[in-house]
Amino acid sequence: MTAVVTPACAQQSFDNLAGSWSGVGSMKPKDGPPERVRCKVDYVVKSEGQSVKMDVRCASDAYKMELNANIDQNGSELSGNWFESQYRIGGKVSGQNANGFIDARIEGDKITALLAVRTKGNRQSFSMESPGAWVSQVSIDLLRDRR
């Protein structure tokens, strides 16, 4: 049995996200019960893994969300911008990427949300919490699409 040890100072990257992911989960509207949602997430990784363009498309019977983000990384620090086209809102992204765990904060004029993306192999969990927003909670389990 061989153990692989990754140095703590290893450069983090978005390489483990590259490609398309699909899955299901729930979306909790501010004024209603959670709804089942289907999602597709595409990640295009650039700049030797230090930049990612993320497209998230989710739909339930009553709601649709189309979120795009461009995120850059310096060490483990994240910065960038996002835009949701159905509701025409956008803002800034900040956070951390470490060991397959992305913890980010998205902020705009009308919304502040905490976003957590956990990736392990071909599985990913995507959750967002935004108390008081039109969608207060999103939780999705994704699988990497076969190429």
Side-chain angles (χ1 to χ4, degrees), residues 29-68:
K30 181 170 128 178
D31 299 321
E35 294 196 22
R36 184 172 166 81
V37 66
R38 296 164 311 285
C39 296
K40 176 102 169 142
V41 182
D42 293 310
Y43 297 100
V44 177
V45 177
K46 303 177 275 185
S47 301
E48 297 179 8
Q50 298 306 294
S51 214
V52 68
K53 180 181 187 311
M54 179 172 93
D55 293 313
V56 180
R57 293 175 308 286
C58 294
S60 71
D61 290 340
Y63 294 95
K64 190 174 183 182
M65 177 179 77
E66 293 185 19
L67 180 97
N68 301 307

mmCIF file of all heavy atoms in Angstrom, residues 29-68:
data_model
loop_
_atom_site.group_PDB
_atom_site.id
_atom_site.type_symbol
_atom_site.label_atom_id
_atom_site.label_comp_id
_atom_site.label_asym_id
_atom_site.label_seq_id
_atom_site.Cartn_x
_atom_site.Cartn_y
_atom_site.Cartn_z
ATOM 1 N N PRO A 29 -37.705 28.292 -1.995
ATOM 2 C CA PRO A 29 -38.104 29.681 -2.204
ATOM 3 C C PRO A 29 -38.362 30.358 -0.858
ATOM 4 O O PRO A 29 -38.704 29.686 0.123
ATOM 5 C CB PRO A 29 -39.392 29.591 -3.016
ATOM 6 C CG PRO A 29 -39.654 28.166 -3.260
ATOM 7 C CD PRO A 29 -38.680 27.349 -2.494
ATOM 8 N N LYS A 30 -38.222 31.665 -0.831
ATOM 9 C CA LYS A 30 -38.418 32.433 0.403
ATOM 10 C C LYS A 30 -39.806 32.185 0.994
ATOM 11 O O LYS A 30 -39.948 32.024 2.195
ATOM 12 C CB LYS A 30 -38.222 33.913 0.091
ATOM 13 C CG LYS A 30 -38.375 34.831 1.265
ATOM 14 C CD LYS A 30 -37.919 36.214 0.870
ATOM 15 C CE LYS A 30 -38.949 37.247 1.189
ATOM 16 N NZ LYS A 30 -38.502 38.588 0.854
ATOM 17 N N ASP A 31 -40.820 32.141 0.149
ATOM 18 C CA ASP A 31 -42.200 32.034 0.626
ATOM 19 C C ASP A 31 -42.865 30.726 0.223
ATOM 20 O O ASP A 31 -43.975 30.723 -0.290
ATOM 21 C CB ASP A 31 -43.034 33.193 0.083
ATOM 22 C CG ASP A 31 -42.503 34.532 0.536
ATOM 23 O OD1 ASP A 31 -42.071 34.625 1.701
ATOM 24 O OD2 ASP A 31 -42.504 35.479 -0.271
ATOM 25 N N GLY A 32 -42.196 29.608 0.428
ATOM 26 C CA GLY A 32 -42.827 28.357 0.047
ATOM 27 C C GLY A 32 -42.003 27.153 0.453
ATOM 28 O O GLY A 32 -40.896 27.290 0.975
ATOM 29 N N PRO A 33 -42.567 25.973 0.196
ATOM 30 C CA PRO A 33 -41.862 24.736 0.544
ATOM 31 C C PRO A 33 -40.725 24.457 -0.445
ATOM 32 O O PRO A 33 -40.724 24.985 -1.560
ATOM 33 C CB PRO A 33 -42.953 23.670 0.421
ATOM 34 C CG PRO A 33 -43.901 24.232 -0.597
ATOM 35 C CD PRO A 33 -43.870 25.722 -0.406
ATOM 36 N N PRO A 34 -39.771 23.630 -0.052
ATOM 37 C CA PRO A 34 -38.685 23.261 -0.974
ATOM 38 C C PRO A 34 -39.247 22.586 -2.224
ATOM 39 O O PRO A 34 -40.257 21.894 -2.159
ATOM 40 C CB PRO A 34 -37.840 22.281 -0.166
ATOM 41 C CG PRO A 34 -38.208 22.509 1.256
ATOM 42 C CD PRO A 34 -39.624 22.993 1.250
ATOM 43 N N GLU A 35 -38.589 22.820 -3.344
ATOM 44 C CA GLU A 35 -38.981 22.197 -4.610
ATOM 45 C C GLU A 35 -37.831 21.372 -5.140
ATOM 46 O O GLU A 35 -36.671 21.761 -5.018
ATOM 47 C CB GLU A 35 -39.329 23.277 -5.644
ATOM 48 C CG GLU A 35 -40.548 24.061 -5.288
ATOM 49 C CD GLU A 35 -41.086 24.828 -6.478
ATOM 50 O OE1 GLU A 35 -40.795 24.444 -7.630
ATOM 51 O OE2 GLU A 35 -41.807 25.806 -6.248
ATOM 52 N N ARG A 36 -38.170 20.250 -5.762
ATOM 53 C CA ARG A 36 -37.166 19.416 -6.412
ATOM 54 C C ARG A 36 -36.613 20.182 -7.610
ATOM 55 O O ARG A 36 -37.366 20.824 -8.347
ATOM 56 C CB ARG A 36 -37.797 18.107 -6.866
ATOM 57 C CG ARG A 36 -36.826 17.133 -7.456
ATOM 58 C CD ARG A 36 -37.545 15.788 -7.679
ATOM 59 N NE ARG A 36 -36.796 14.923 -8.528
ATOM 60 C CZ ARG A 36 -35.776 14.179 -8.139
ATOM 61 N NH1 ARG A 36 -35.375 14.222 -6.888
ATOM 62 N NH2 ARG A 36 -35.149 13.395 -8.978
ATOM 63 N N VAL A 37 -35.309 20.128 -7.797
ATOM 64 C CA VAL A 37 -34.672 20.891 -8.860
ATOM 65 C C VAL A 37 -33.687 20.003 -9.618
ATOM 66 O O VAL A 37 -33.085 19.105 -9.031
ATOM 67 C CB VAL A 37 -33.988 22.152 -8.268
ATOM 68 C CG1 VAL A 37 -32.850 21.797 -7.364
ATOM 69 C CG2 VAL A 37 -33.536 23.107 -9.331
ATOM 70 N N ARG A 38 -33.582 20.226 -10.919
ATOM 71 C CA ARG A 38 -32.603 19.537 -11.767
ATOM 72 C C ARG A 38 -31.573 20.567 -12.183
ATOM 73 O O ARG A 38 -31.935 21.690 -12.548
ATOM 74 C CB ARG A 38 -33.285 18.972 -13.020
ATOM 75 C CG ARG A 38 -34.313 17.911 -12.720
ATOM 76 C CD ARG A 38 -35.255 17.636 -13.889
ATOM 77 N NE ARG A 38 -35.881 18.804 -14.521
ATOM 78 C CZ ARG A 38 -36.878 19.521 -14.009
ATOM 79 N NH1 ARG A 38 -37.360 19.238 -12.836
ATOM 80 N NH2 ARG A 38 -37.385 20.543 -14.667
ATOM 81 N N CYS A 39 -30.299 20.182 -12.145
ATOM 82 C CA CYS A 39 -29.248 21.152 -12.442
ATOM 83 C C CYS A 39 -28.191 20.585 -13.369
ATOM 84 O O CYS A 39 -27.934 19.384 -13.389
ATOM 85 C CB CYS A 39 -28.550 21.605 -11.161
ATOM 86 S SG CYS A 39 -29.633 22.474 -10.033
ATOM 87 N N LYS A 40 -27.574 21.495 -14.095
ATOM 88 C CA LYS A 40 -26.430 21.202 -14.944
ATOM 89 C C LYS A 40 -25.403 22.289 -14.643
ATOM 90 O O LYS A 40 -25.733 23.478 -14.631
ATOM 91 C CB LYS A 40 -26.856 21.267 -16.408
ATOM 92 C CG LYS A 40 -25.743 21.068 -17.378
ATOM 93 C CD LYS A 40 -25.788 19.680 -17.926
ATOM 94 C CE LYS A 40 -24.839 19.578 -19.095
ATOM 95 N NZ LYS A 40 -24.174 18.320 -19.134
ATOM 96 N N VAL A 41 -24.175 21.878 -14.354
ATOM 97 C CA VAL A 41 -23.101 22.818 -14.056
ATOM 98 C C VAL A 41 -21.945 22.530 -14.999
ATOM 99 O O VAL A 41 -21.523 21.379 -15.131
ATOM 100 C CB VAL A 41 -22.629 22.696 -12.585
ATOM 101 C CG1 VAL A 41 -21.541 23.713 -12.287
ATOM 102 C CG2 VAL A 41 -23.800 22.861 -11.618
ATOM 103 N N ASP A 42 -21.473 23.564 -15.681
ATOM 104 C CA ASP A 42 -20.320 23.440 -16.576
ATOM 105 C C ASP A 42 -19.193 24.300 -16.026
ATOM 106 O O ASP A 42 -19.411 25.464 -15.662
ATOM 107 C CB ASP A 42 -20.671 23.913 -17.994
ATOM 108 C CG ASP A 42 -21.682 22.999 -18.664
ATOM 109 O OD1 ASP A 42 -21.457 21.789 -18.656
ATOM 110 O OD2 ASP A 42 -22.694 23.519 -19.174
ATOM 111 N N TYR A 43 -17.992 23.710 -15.974
ATOM 112 C CA TYR A 43 -16.809 24.437 -15.533
ATOM 113 C C TYR A 43 -15.789 24.435 -16.667
ATOM 114 O O TYR A 43 -15.432 23.374 -17.186
ATOM 115 C CB TYR A 43 -16.148 23.743 -14.339
ATOM 116 C CG TYR A 43 -16.992 23.661 -13.092
ATOM 117 C CD1 TYR A 43 -17.668 22.484 -12.778
ATOM 118 C CD2 TYR A 43 -17.068 24.736 -12.213
ATOM 119 C CE1 TYR A 43 -18.411 22.390 -11.614
ATOM 120 C CE2 TYR A 43 -17.804 24.639 -11.047
ATOM 121 C CZ TYR A 43 -18.479 23.469 -10.749
ATOM 122 O OH TYR A 43 -19.210 23.373 -9.596
ATOM 123 N N VAL A 44 -15.336 25.617 -17.055
ATOM 124 C CA VAL A 44 -14.261 25.755 -18.029
ATOM 125 C C VAL A 44 -13.070 26.329 -17.265
ATOM 126 O O VAL A 44 -13.122 27.454 -16.767
ATOM 127 C CB VAL A 44 -14.660 26.682 -19.201
ATOM 128 C CG1 VAL A 44 -13.482 26.857 -20.158
ATOM 129 C CG2 VAL A 44 -15.877 26.125 -19.939
ATOM 130 N N VAL A 45 -12.025 25.508 -17.141
ATOM 131 C CA VAL A 45 -10.841 25.887 -16.369
ATOM 132 C C VAL A 45 -9.807 26.502 -17.305
ATOM 133 O O VAL A 45 -9.545 25.972 -18.379
ATOM 134 C CB VAL A 45 -10.269 24.656 -15.629
ATOM 135 C CG1 VAL A 45 -9.004 25.011 -14.878
ATOM 136 C CG2 VAL A 45 -11.320 24.075 -14.689
ATOM 137 N N LYS A 46 -9.239 27.658 -16.889
ATOM 138 C CA LYS A 46 -8.260 28.384 -17.705
ATOM 139 C C LYS A 46 -7.050 28.754 -16.852
ATOM 140 O O LYS A 46 -7.042 28.512 -15.643
ATOM 141 C CB LYS A 46 -8.898 29.663 -18.255
ATOM 142 C CG LYS A 46 -10.157 29.425 -19.078
ATOM 143 C CD LYS A 46 -10.769 30.727 -19.534
ATOM 144 C CE LYS A 46 -11.667 31.255 -18.446
ATOM 145 N NZ LYS A 46 -12.412 32.426 -18.761
ATOM 146 N N SER A 47 -6.069 29.352 -17.465
ATOM 147 C CA SER A 47 -4.885 29.890 -16.784
ATOM 148 C C SER A 47 -4.223 28.869 -15.863
ATOM 149 O O SER A 47 -4.013 29.116 -14.682
ATOM 150 C CB SER A 47 -5.253 31.144 -15.988
ATOM 151 O OG SER A 47 -5.787 32.124 -16.825
ATOM 152 N N GLU A 48 -3.924 27.689 -16.438
ATOM 153 C CA GLU A 48 -3.253 26.612 -15.702
ATOM 154 C C GLU A 48 -3.966 26.269 -14.401
ATOM 155 O O GLU A 48 -3.350 26.052 -13.356
ATOM 156 C CB GLU A 48 -1.787 26.983 -15.447
ATOM 157 C CG GLU A 48 -1.003 27.128 -16.737
ATOM 158 C CD GLU A 48 0.448 27.515 -16.515
ATOM 159 O OE1 GLU A 48 0.899 27.531 -15.353
ATOM 160 O OE2 GLU A 48 1.124 27.783 -17.517
ATOM 161 N N GLY A 49 -5.301 26.234 -14.446
ATOM 162 C CA GLY A 49 -6.098 25.839 -13.296
ATOM 163 C C GLY A 49 -6.360 26.946 -12.297
ATOM 164 O O GLY A 49 -6.986 26.717 -11.263
ATOM 165 N N GLN A 50 -5.925 28.175 -12.590
ATOM 166 C CA GLN A 50 -6.071 29.272 -11.633
ATOM 167 C C GLN A 50 -7.276 30.165 -11.910
ATOM 168 O O GLN A 50 -7.497 31.151 -11.221
ATOM 169 C CB GLN A 50 -4.789 30.113 -11.605
ATOM 170 C CG GLN A 50 -3.575 29.335 -11.163
ATOM 171 C CD GLN A 50 -3.805 28.645 -9.814
ATOM 172 O OE1 GLN A 50 -3.958 29.304 -8.802
ATOM 173 N NE2 GLN A 50 -3.846 27.327 -9.812
ATOM 174 N N SER A 51 -8.068 29.800 -12.909
ATOM 175 C CA SER A 51 -9.233 30.578 -13.282
ATOM 176 C C SER A 51 -10.316 29.612 -13.737
ATOM 177 O O SER A 51 -10.013 28.604 -14.377
ATOM 178 C CB SER A 51 -8.835 31.499 -14.434
ATOM 179 O OG SER A 51 -9.501 32.694 -14.382
ATOM 180 N N VAL A 52 -11.570 29.911 -13.408
ATOM 181 C CA VAL A 52 -12.660 29.045 -13.851
ATOM 182 C C VAL A 52 -13.863 29.900 -14.245
ATOM 183 O O VAL A 52 -14.148 30.924 -13.629
ATOM 184 C CB VAL A 52 -13.050 28.007 -12.762
ATOM 185 C CG1 VAL A 52 -13.683 28.672 -11.546
ATOM 186 C CG2 VAL A 52 -13.959 26.927 -13.318
ATOM 187 N N LYS A 53 -14.528 29.456 -15.319
ATOM 188 C CA LYS A 53 -15.803 30.037 -15.720
ATOM 189 C C LYS A 53 -16.846 28.985 -15.373
ATOM 190 O O LYS A 53 -16.726 27.832 -15.783
ATOM 191 C CB LYS A 53 -15.820 30.336 -17.218
ATOM 192 C CG LYS A 53 -17.123 30.946 -17.688
ATOM 193 C CD LYS A 53 -17.085 31.205 -19.184
ATOM 194 C CE LYS A 53 -18.277 31.972 -19.682
ATOM 195 N NZ LYS A 53 -19.576 31.478 -19.268
ATOM 196 N N MET A 54 -17.825 29.368 -14.584
ATOM 197 C CA MET A 54 -18.831 28.437 -14.086
ATOM 198 C C MET A 54 -20.192 28.850 -14.619
ATOM 199 O O MET A 54 -20.575 30.020 -14.532
ATOM 200 C CB MET A 54 -18.813 28.491 -12.552
ATOM 201 C CG MET A 54 -19.803 27.609 -11.884
ATOM 202 S SD MET A 54 -19.527 27.588 -10.095
ATOM 203 C CE MET A 54 -20.620 28.887 -9.592
ATOM 204 N N ASP A 55 -20.936 27.904 -15.195
ATOM 205 C CA ASP A 55 -22.305 28.131 -15.646
ATOM 206 C C ASP A 55 -23.199 27.141 -14.919
ATOM 207 O O ASP A 55 -23.010 25.923 -15.036
ATOM 208 C CB ASP A 55 -22.436 27.906 -17.154
ATOM 209 C CG ASP A 55 -21.676 28.947 -17.959
ATOM 210 O OD1 ASP A 55 -21.812 30.139 -17.649
ATOM 211 O OD2 ASP A 55 -20.941 28.557 -18.883
ATOM 212 N N VAL A 56 -24.163 27.651 -14.155
ATOM 213 C CA VAL A 56 -25.090 26.819 -13.390
ATOM 214 C C VAL A 56 -26.492 27.066 -13.925
ATOM 215 O O VAL A 56 -26.949 28.207 -13.967
ATOM 216 C CB VAL A 56 -25.053 27.180 -11.880
ATOM 217 C CG1 VAL A 56 -26.023 26.311 -11.098
ATOM 218 C CG2 VAL A 56 -23.648 27.066 -11.326
ATOM 219 N N ARG A 57 -27.158 25.996 -14.353
ATOM 220 C CA ARG A 57 -28.537 26.099 -14.817
ATOM 221 C C ARG A 57 -29.375 25.120 -14.002
ATOM 222 O O ARG A 57 -29.113 23.919 -14.021
ATOM 223 C CB ARG A 57 -28.637 25.794 -16.305
ATOM 224 C CG ARG A 57 -27.946 26.848 -17.152
ATOM 225 C CD ARG A 57 -27.916 26.519 -18.626
ATOM 226 N NE ARG A 57 -27.401 25.216 -19.007
ATOM 227 C CZ ARG A 57 -26.107 24.867 -18.993
ATOM 228 N NH1 ARG A 57 -25.194 25.710 -18.583
ATOM 229 N NH2 ARG A 57 -25.728 23.667 -19.379
ATOM 230 N N CYS A 58 -30.375 25.648 -13.294
ATOM 231 C CA CYS A 58 -31.257 24.810 -12.481
ATOM 232 C C CYS A 58 -32.705 25.156 -12.794
ATOM 233 O O CYS A 58 -33.017 26.314 -13.083
ATOM 234 C CB CYS A 58 -31.010 25.037 -10.995
ATOM 235 S SG CYS A 58 -29.390 24.516 -10.414
ATOM 236 N N ALA A 59 -33.569 24.153 -12.702
ATOM 237 C CA ALA A 59 -34.991 24.385 -12.939
ATOM 238 C C ALA A 59 -35.817 23.454 -12.062
ATOM 239 O O ALA A 59 -35.479 22.290 -11.871
ATOM 240 C CB ALA A 59 -35.334 24.150 -14.405
ATOM 241 N N SER A 60 -36.899 24.012 -11.522
ATOM 242 C CA SER A 60 -37.917 23.231 -10.837
ATOM 243 C C SER A 60 -39.191 23.440 -11.642
ATOM 244 O O SER A 60 -39.160 24.061 -12.703
ATOM 245 C CB SER A 60 -38.084 23.723 -9.390
ATOM 246 O OG SER A 60 -38.703 24.992 -9.384
ATOM 247 N N ASP A 61 -40.319 22.971 -11.132
ATOM 248 C CA ASP A 61 -41.571 23.199 -11.849
ATOM 249 C C ASP A 61 -41.928 24.685 -11.892
ATOM 250 O O ASP A 61 -42.530 25.154 -12.847
ATOM 251 C CB ASP A 61 -42.707 22.413 -11.203
ATOM 252 C CG ASP A 61 -42.549 20.911 -11.438
ATOM 253 O OD1 ASP A 61 -41.826 20.525 -12.378
ATOM 254 O OD2 ASP A 61 -43.144 20.134 -10.664
ATOM 255 N N ALA A 62 -41.534 25.445 -10.860
ATOM 256 C CA ALA A 62 -41.936 26.847 -10.779
ATOM 257 C C ALA A 62 -40.793 27.849 -10.973
ATOM 258 O O ALA A 62 -41.051 29.007 -11.246
ATOM 259 C CB ALA A 62 -42.591 27.110 -9.422
ATOM 260 N N TYR A 63 -39.561 27.420 -10.813
ATOM 261 C CA TYR A 63 -38.436 28.362 -10.848
ATOM 262 C C TYR A 63 -37.378 27.943 -11.841
ATOM 263 O O TYR A 63 -37.227 26.781 -12.164
ATOM 264 C CB TYR A 63 -37.778 28.463 -9.466
ATOM 265 C CG TYR A 63 -38.668 29.064 -8.430
ATOM 266 C CD1 TYR A 63 -39.428 28.252 -7.600
ATOM 267 C CD2 TYR A 63 -38.760 30.442 -8.283
ATOM 268 C CE1 TYR A 63 -40.264 28.804 -6.642
ATOM 269 C CE2 TYR A 63 -39.591 31.001 -7.328
ATOM 270 C CZ TYR A 63 -40.336 30.169 -6.517
ATOM 271 O OH TYR A 63 -41.171 30.720 -5.576
ATOM 272 N N LYS A 64 -36.614 28.943 -12.253
ATOM 273 C CA LYS A 64 -35.475 28.705 -13.126
ATOM 274 C C LYS A 64 -34.348 29.613 -12.644
ATOM 275 O O LYS A 64 -34.599 30.758 -12.257
ATOM 276 C CB LYS A 64 -35.852 29.042 -14.563
ATOM 277 C CG LYS A 64 -34.848 28.626 -15.586
ATOM 278 C CD LYS A 64 -35.421 28.886 -16.981
ATOM 279 C CE LYS A 64 -34.474 28.429 -18.045
ATOM 280 N NZ LYS A 64 -34.973 28.706 -19.376
ATOM 281 N N MET A 65 -33.120 29.096 -12.626
ATOM 282 C CA MET A 65 -31.974 29.891 -12.211
ATOM 283 C C MET A 65 -30.861 29.659 -13.221
ATOM 284 O O MET A 65 -30.584 28.524 -13.593
ATOM 285 C CB MET A 65 -31.507 29.445 -10.817
ATOM 286 C CG MET A 65 -30.267 30.178 -10.333
ATOM 287 S SD MET A 65 -29.733 29.685 -8.675
ATOM 288 C CE MET A 65 -28.936 28.126 -9.006
ATOM 289 N N GLU A 66 -30.258 30.732 -13.698
ATOM 290 C CA GLU A 66 -29.114 30.657 -14.605
ATOM 291 C C GLU A 66 -28.034 31.580 -14.067
ATOM 292 O O GLU A 66 -28.139 32.794 -14.192
ATOM 293 C CB GLU A 66 -29.519 31.059 -16.020
ATOM 294 C CG GLU A 66 -30.472 30.065 -16.650
ATOM 295 C CD GLU A 66 -30.785 30.383 -18.103
ATOM 296 O OE1 GLU A 66 -30.024 31.130 -18.735
ATOM 297 O OE2 GLU A 66 -31.805 29.869 -18.583
ATOM 298 N N LEU A 67 -27.028 30.980 -13.451
ATOM 299 C CA LEU A 67 -25.967 31.730 -12.801
ATOM 300 C C LEU A 67 -24.655 31.499 -13.531
ATOM 301 O O LEU A 67 -24.316 30.361 -13.846
ATOM 302 C CB LEU A 67 -25.836 31.265 -11.344
ATOM 303 C CG LEU A 67 -24.759 31.953 -10.541
ATOM 304 C CD1 LEU A 67 -25.365 33.086 -9.737
ATOM 305 C CD2 LEU A 67 -24.087 30.970 -9.606
ATOM 306 N N ASN A 68 -23.949 32.582 -13.827
ATOM 307 C CA ASN A 68 -22.625 32.505 -14.445
ATOM 308 C C ASN A 68 -21.643 33.174 -13.508
ATOM 309 O O ASN A 68 -21.967 34.197 -12.899
ATOM 310 C CB ASN A 68 -22.602 33.234 -15.788
ATOM 311 C CG ASN A 68 -23.615 32.669 -16.748
ATOM 312 O OD1 ASN A 68 -23.626 31.484 -16.983
ATOM 313 N ND2 ASN A 68 -24.478 33.512 -17.276
#
